[in-house]
Amino acid sequence: MVTATDPRQATALLETRGLTKHFPIRQGLFGRTVGQVKALDGIDLRIAGGQTVGLVGESGCGKSTLGRCLLRVHQPTAGEILYRAPDGTPVDLAALDEQGLKPYRSQIRLIFQDPYSSLNPRMTLLQIVGEPLKVNLGLARPEIEERVAELLRRVGLRPEYMHRYPNAFSGGQRQRVGIARALALSPRLVVADEAVSALDVSVRAQILNLLKDLQEESELTYLFISHDLGVVEYMADEIAVMYVGRVVETGETDALYARPLHPYTEALLSAVPDPAPSSRRRERIVLRGEVADPSRVPSGCPFHPRCFYAQDRCKTEVPALREIAPGRTAACHFADQLQLRGVGE
Amino acid sequence: MSETVLRVKDLRTQFALDDGVVKAVDGVDLEIGRGEVLAVVGESGCGKSVMARSILRLVDKPGRITGGEIWVRDPAGGGLVDLVPADVRTVRQVRGKRIAMVFQEPMTSMSPMHTLGNQIGEAILLHERVTKAEARERTIELLGRVGIPAPERRVDAYPFQMSGGMLQRAMIAMALSCNPELLIADEPTTALDTTTQAQILELLDSLRRDLGMAVMLITHDLGVAARLADRIAVMYLGSVVEHGDTASVFRAPRHPYTKALLGSVPKLGSGSRARLTPVRGMVPHAYQRPTGCPFHPRCEEFMAGRCEVTVPRPTAGPEPGREVRCLLYEDGGGSHKNAGLSKAGDSAGDGTGDSEGDA
């Protein structure tokens, strides 16, 4: 765990502490609450400035909910979102109301997954990309046009395109528009939620390279949410692996891929089909069963029904996320005993 | 190669639309032997799905097979029969009995109104002389075979009661119901999670091993192809540009498009963070098919004066069974061959995504 004396603390741009989001399940005429979907259950996550943190996990693990909580699209049920404002003071975004959030809205932006449904078909690129400039900065039209032209150029689109509508563009180009819109207000943190998942292989690589270039140019910090472990490895400096609403492992990317500490991470890495010719001989771990239902989380360690290393203790006792090695945390009772297999070498 | 279960020759499927003719499949040659897995890879719009549907004559209007041959084993006798001119009766007998198909989205491929047992049993009742009770028995057996727990209860479940992975298993069970020789799986794992995907790939592999079933795996994911396939065919704009044994194609790709595709995928566990080298530009619009080699406007090894004029013919080599359609390798290729390899490394294609195309 990161403590107040940790030197790395100074560079954290954003940090969550015990972030929790439960969605009530309502039923019947009066909307009686009959259960809770525990989408996030006590998330501690640290995002260092200028870095890319990759958030991986399968559908339903809460990774998108986490991104949305950081943007305060969702109101967290409990916990803190400590954001370091440009002047250095920490602000708890989870405690602010709409009015109080306003100054921070322009500093944390989102890139959406689907480039087709996330752009309004009745707006031109100028309107789409220029809208945040108009609303947040109150710029006049000539200035907006100038800024939009510059933004389009930065994401690799021709400025002349600004008067066209989204339907004139391919998926990859639309995603560039989505990126331009996210960057319009010079944010400090960009949450990319499956930003390349809807794209074809070659276009995906173009967008990944673009995101990397933009990060270098303007010292952006990314929270890169993806289910694709190959893509995350390419993008991220640090990784957090989620399973059913919890972070089960964190660590520096290369170390985590080379030697995972949590059995779920091992299984995920092993399940990725890899085009490298040598990987065919690799022995694979195929997990039993399916991802647990976040409204009926198994007792003890949520991963225990699928875990090959599970013991009696795992059925009853919830493992806490703890430091196993410097910079490495895992939520597994046996993390320091298991010798798990990574990828590479 | 073992006994052929499918041989496609010069298959052409076109869509005559108001704005012009789209040549979705433009001269594809393929062959699959018993128990073999062939992966057909390519990006959206390369015609891989239309090609797969053409084989079962499932192309919807205004699409039409305009030429070529599709030879499969005759359901009535021992020989081969060409499906392109065949009558509806023959095609129906082939569907399900000889060749079965699994689609991408299990949720939308099943009827929400009927139980799994009814839907799978229907196929068995159609193709075989069995009673309803026997069909139900077979269904339960099949559901168990594809790894669905408690099949005797699941047989009465409706699709909405199942998860995506379980439904895809049920789809495969349905496809297996009449012991087909060939299973065409069109992006069978694209809608699934990583660990579920691994389970389904494992299942397909075991079916091939245990039942000797051939599989044509349509996918955009090179990793999935590498995991399962014996041979691989890379498609670009309706034609197979490279074809051969999976390991050798991945180890030493020949066609510039194959090279670029492999350069677009981050290597897992490499730790190197070497910059990706994607194909520059994007797939041209279906109506504006480039002249000559269809890949030439995006090619890193473009030879002016040749590639935009001549349509490359399939060239064999270096290993047996490998074939590539690229002028670099025709008539010995030319001096360009090696210059291109180093060039592909440093000219990243991003940022130029808009420089061509039709926006």
mmCIF file of all heavy atoms in Angstrom, chain A residues 296-316:
data_model
loop_
_atom_site.group_PDB
_atom_site.id
_atom_site.type_symbol
_atom_site.label_atom_id
_atom_site.label_comp_id
_atom_site.label_asym_id
_atom_site.label_seq_id
_atom_site.Cartn_x
_atom_site.Cartn_y
_atom_site.Cartn_z
ATOM 1 N N ARG A 296 -23.967 -11.700 -7.284
ATOM 2 C CA ARG A 296 -23.843 -12.857 -6.376
ATOM 3 C C ARG A 296 -22.383 -13.261 -6.310
ATOM 4 O O ARG A 296 -21.980 -14.287 -6.838
ATOM 5 C CB ARG A 296 -24.684 -14.014 -6.892
ATOM 6 C CG ARG A 296 -26.155 -13.890 -6.541
ATOM 7 C CD ARG A 296 -26.879 -15.105 -7.043
ATOM 8 N NE ARG A 296 -26.618 -15.268 -8.474
ATOM 9 C CZ ARG A 296 -27.574 -15.429 -9.386
ATOM 10 N NH1 ARG A 296 -28.813 -15.485 -9.045
ATOM 11 N NH2 ARG A 296 -27.267 -15.546 -10.660
ATOM 12 N N VAL A 297 -21.594 -12.390 -5.707
ATOM 13 C CA VAL A 297 -20.160 -12.639 -5.639
ATOM 14 C C VAL A 297 -19.908 -13.848 -4.732
ATOM 15 O O VAL A 297 -20.480 -13.925 -3.649
ATOM 16 C CB VAL A 297 -19.435 -11.395 -5.099
ATOM 17 C CG1 VAL A 297 -17.941 -11.616 -5.043
ATOM 18 C CG2 VAL A 297 -19.761 -10.187 -5.960
ATOM 19 N N PRO A 298 -19.073 -14.796 -5.190
ATOM 20 C CA PRO A 298 -18.782 -15.959 -4.345
ATOM 21 C C PRO A 298 -18.165 -15.527 -3.016
ATOM 22 O O PRO A 298 -17.519 -14.483 -2.929
ATOM 23 C CB PRO A 298 -17.763 -16.752 -5.167
ATOM 24 C CG PRO A 298 -17.933 -16.277 -6.569
ATOM 25 C CD PRO A 298 -18.395 -14.864 -6.486
ATOM 26 N N SER A 299 -18.340 -16.346 -2.001
ATOM 27 C CA SER A 299 -17.772 -16.040 -0.694
ATOM 28 C C SER A 299 -16.250 -16.109 -0.767
ATOM 29 O O SER A 299 -15.690 -16.681 -1.697
ATOM 30 C CB SER A 299 -18.269 -17.065 0.320
ATOM 31 O OG SER A 299 -17.733 -18.330 -0.025
ATOM 32 N N GLY A 300 -15.614 -15.535 0.214
ATOM 33 C CA GLY A 300 -14.158 -15.584 0.265
ATOM 34 C C GLY A 300 -13.539 -14.885 -0.924
ATOM 35 O O GLY A 300 -13.979 -13.811 -1.322
ATOM 36 N N CYS A 301 -12.517 -15.490 -1.493
ATOM 37 C CA CYS A 301 -11.897 -14.924 -2.691
ATOM 38 C C CYS A 301 -12.855 -15.115 -3.857
ATOM 39 O O CYS A 301 -13.255 -16.240 -4.148
ATOM 40 C CB CYS A 301 -10.572 -15.632 -2.975
ATOM 41 S SG CYS A 301 -9.867 -15.168 -4.553
ATOM 42 N N PRO A 302 -13.251 -14.040 -4.555
ATOM 43 C CA PRO A 302 -14.255 -14.194 -5.619
ATOM 44 C C PRO A 302 -13.788 -15.116 -6.743
ATOM 45 O O PRO A 302 -14.587 -15.622 -7.508
ATOM 46 C CB PRO A 302 -14.456 -12.767 -6.154
ATOM 47 C CG PRO A 302 -13.663 -11.870 -5.294
ATOM 48 C CD PRO A 302 -12.799 -12.656 -4.383
ATOM 49 N N PHE A 303 -12.503 -15.333 -6.838
ATOM 50 C CA PHE A 303 -11.964 -16.149 -7.931
ATOM 51 C C PHE A 303 -11.897 -17.632 -7.547
ATOM 52 O O PHE A 303 -11.651 -18.473 -8.403
ATOM 53 C CB PHE A 303 -10.581 -15.617 -8.315
ATOM 54 C CG PHE A 303 -9.986 -16.275 -9.532
ATOM 55 C CD1 PHE A 303 -10.642 -16.226 -10.756
ATOM 56 C CD2 PHE A 303 -8.786 -16.951 -9.462
ATOM 57 C CE1 PHE A 303 -10.106 -16.830 -11.880
ATOM 58 C CE2 PHE A 303 -8.239 -17.562 -10.576
ATOM 59 C CZ PHE A 303 -8.904 -17.499 -11.794
ATOM 60 N N HIS A 304 -12.153 -17.979 -6.288
ATOM 61 C CA HIS A 304 -11.856 -19.344 -5.854
ATOM 62 C C HIS A 304 -12.581 -20.457 -6.613
ATOM 63 O O HIS A 304 -12.002 -21.504 -6.839
ATOM 64 C CB HIS A 304 -12.022 -19.494 -4.326
ATOM 65 C CG HIS A 304 -13.395 -19.857 -3.876
ATOM 66 N ND1 HIS A 304 -14.263 -18.940 -3.324
ATOM 67 C CD2 HIS A 304 -14.074 -21.038 -3.910
ATOM 68 C CE1 HIS A 304 -15.404 -19.546 -3.040
ATOM 69 N NE2 HIS A 304 -15.318 -20.802 -3.379
ATOM 70 N N PRO A 305 -13.844 -20.252 -7.093
ATOM 71 C CA PRO A 305 -14.472 -21.382 -7.790
ATOM 72 C C PRO A 305 -13.761 -21.757 -9.098
ATOM 73 O O PRO A 305 -13.928 -22.862 -9.587
ATOM 74 C CB PRO A 305 -15.896 -20.884 -8.071
ATOM 75 C CG PRO A 305 -16.115 -19.735 -7.157
ATOM 76 C CD PRO A 305 -14.779 -19.121 -6.961
ATOM 77 N N ARG A 306 -12.975 -20.836 -9.652
ATOM 78 C CA ARG A 306 -12.315 -21.128 -10.925
ATOM 79 C C ARG A 306 -10.819 -21.352 -10.762
ATOM 80 O O ARG A 306 -10.124 -21.628 -11.729
ATOM 81 C CB ARG A 306 -12.529 -19.961 -11.893
ATOM 82 C CG ARG A 306 -13.979 -19.562 -12.061
ATOM 83 C CD ARG A 306 -14.118 -18.386 -13.002
ATOM 84 N NE ARG A 306 -13.898 -18.773 -14.377
ATOM 85 C CZ ARG A 306 -13.703 -17.890 -15.356
ATOM 86 N NH1 ARG A 306 -13.642 -16.598 -15.098
ATOM 87 N NH2 ARG A 306 -13.531 -18.292 -16.590
ATOM 88 N N CYS A 307 -10.336 -21.174 -9.552
ATOM 89 C CA CYS A 307 -8.888 -21.143 -9.346
ATOM 90 C C CYS A 307 -8.335 -22.553 -9.197
ATOM 91 O O CYS A 307 -8.903 -23.383 -8.494
ATOM 92 C CB CYS A 307 -8.589 -20.322 -8.092
ATOM 93 S SG CYS A 307 -6.846 -20.114 -7.781
ATOM 94 N N PHE A 308 -7.208 -22.817 -9.871
ATOM 95 C CA PHE A 308 -6.599 -24.143 -9.794
ATOM 96 C C PHE A 308 -5.808 -24.338 -8.496
ATOM 97 O O PHE A 308 -5.433 -25.437 -8.161
ATOM 98 C CB PHE A 308 -5.662 -24.365 -10.981
ATOM 99 C CG PHE A 308 -6.401 -24.578 -12.260
ATOM 100 C CD1 PHE A 308 -6.470 -23.576 -13.211
ATOM 101 C CD2 PHE A 308 -7.055 -25.774 -12.500
ATOM 102 C CE1 PHE A 308 -7.163 -23.771 -14.386
ATOM 103 C CE2 PHE A 308 -7.751 -25.975 -13.680
ATOM 104 C CZ PHE A 308 -7.809 -24.975 -14.618
ATOM 105 N N TYR A 309 -5.534 -23.243 -7.811
ATOM 106 C CA TYR A 309 -4.701 -23.344 -6.621
ATOM 107 C C TYR A 309 -5.525 -23.173 -5.345
ATOM 108 O O TYR A 309 -4.971 -23.061 -4.265
ATOM 109 C CB TYR A 309 -3.604 -22.281 -6.649
ATOM 110 C CG TYR A 309 -2.843 -22.239 -7.951
ATOM 111 C CD1 TYR A 309 -3.164 -21.303 -8.935
ATOM 112 C CD2 TYR A 309 -1.804 -23.134 -8.195
ATOM 113 C CE1 TYR A 309 -2.472 -21.269 -10.136
ATOM 114 C CE2 TYR A 309 -1.108 -23.103 -9.386
ATOM 115 C CZ TYR A 309 -1.441 -22.170 -10.358
ATOM 116 O OH TYR A 309 -0.759 -22.135 -11.536
ATOM 117 N N ALA A 310 -6.872 -23.113 -5.491
ATOM 118 C CA ALA A 310 -7.716 -22.770 -4.344
ATOM 119 C C ALA A 310 -7.617 -23.805 -3.229
ATOM 120 O O ALA A 310 -7.502 -25.005 -3.486
ATOM 121 C CB ALA A 310 -9.167 -22.635 -4.797
ATOM 122 N N GLN A 311 -7.635 -23.318 -1.996
ATOM 123 C CA GLN A 311 -7.648 -24.190 -0.830
ATOM 124 C C GLN A 311 -8.814 -23.766 0.061
ATOM 125 O O GLN A 311 -9.511 -22.813 -0.252
ATOM 126 C CB GLN A 311 -6.322 -24.079 -0.093
ATOM 127 C CG GLN A 311 -5.183 -24.438 -1.029
ATOM 128 C CD GLN A 311 -3.874 -24.665 -0.333
ATOM 129 O OE1 GLN A 311 -3.823 -24.769 0.873
ATOM 130 N NE2 GLN A 311 -2.827 -24.752 -1.116
ATOM 131 N N ASP A 312 -8.994 -24.456 1.153
ATOM 132 C CA ASP A 312 -10.150 -24.199 2.016
ATOM 133 C C ASP A 312 -10.241 -22.745 2.465
ATOM 134 O O ASP A 312 -11.311 -22.152 2.500
ATOM 135 C CB ASP A 312 -10.104 -25.110 3.248
ATOM 136 C CG ASP A 312 -10.516 -26.523 2.870
ATOM 137 O OD1 ASP A 312 -11.068 -26.671 1.757
ATOM 138 O OD2 ASP A 312 -10.278 -27.448 3.655
ATOM 139 N N ARG A 313 -9.090 -22.202 2.786
ATOM 140 C CA ARG A 313 -9.053 -20.834 3.278
ATOM 141 C C ARG A 313 -9.672 -19.854 2.275
ATOM 142 O O ARG A 313 -10.305 -18.863 2.647
ATOM 143 C CB ARG A 313 -7.590 -20.488 3.516
ATOM 144 C CG ARG A 313 -7.372 -19.165 4.163
ATOM 145 C CD ARG A 313 -5.881 -18.955 4.322
ATOM 146 N NE ARG A 313 -5.620 -17.588 4.695
ATOM 147 C CZ ARG A 313 -4.436 -17.017 4.607
ATOM 148 N NH1 ARG A 313 -3.412 -17.711 4.149
ATOM 149 N NH2 ARG A 313 -4.272 -15.765 4.956
ATOM 150 N N CYS A 314 -9.487 -20.136 0.964
ATOM 151 C CA CYS A 314 -9.955 -19.224 -0.075
ATOM 152 C C CYS A 314 -11.476 -19.126 -0.106
ATOM 153 O O CYS A 314 -12.038 -18.164 -0.605
ATOM 154 C CB CYS A 314 -9.453 -19.683 -1.434
ATOM 155 S SG CYS A 314 -7.669 -19.827 -1.505
ATOM 156 N N LYS A 315 -12.159 -20.178 0.389
ATOM 157 C CA LYS A 315 -13.615 -20.184 0.323
ATOM 158 C C LYS A 315 -14.236 -19.263 1.359
ATOM 159 O O LYS A 315 -15.384 -18.867 1.218
ATOM 160 C CB LYS A 315 -14.143 -21.606 0.536
ATOM 161 C CG LYS A 315 -13.786 -22.523 -0.610
ATOM 162 C CD LYS A 315 -14.316 -23.918 -0.373
ATOM 163 C CE LYS A 315 -13.743 -24.843 -1.440
ATOM 164 N NZ LYS A 315 -13.569 -26.202 -0.968
ATOM 165 N N THR A 316 -13.510 -18.971 2.395
ATOM 166 C CA THR A 316 -14.118 -18.212 3.488
ATOM 167 C C THR A 316 -13.500 -16.833 3.672
ATOM 168 O O THR A 316 -14.197 -15.875 3.983
ATOM 169 C CB THR A 316 -13.956 -18.977 4.814
ATOM 170 O OG1 THR A 316 -12.585 -19.356 4.928
ATOM 171 C CG2 THR A 316 -14.831 -20.211 4.832
#
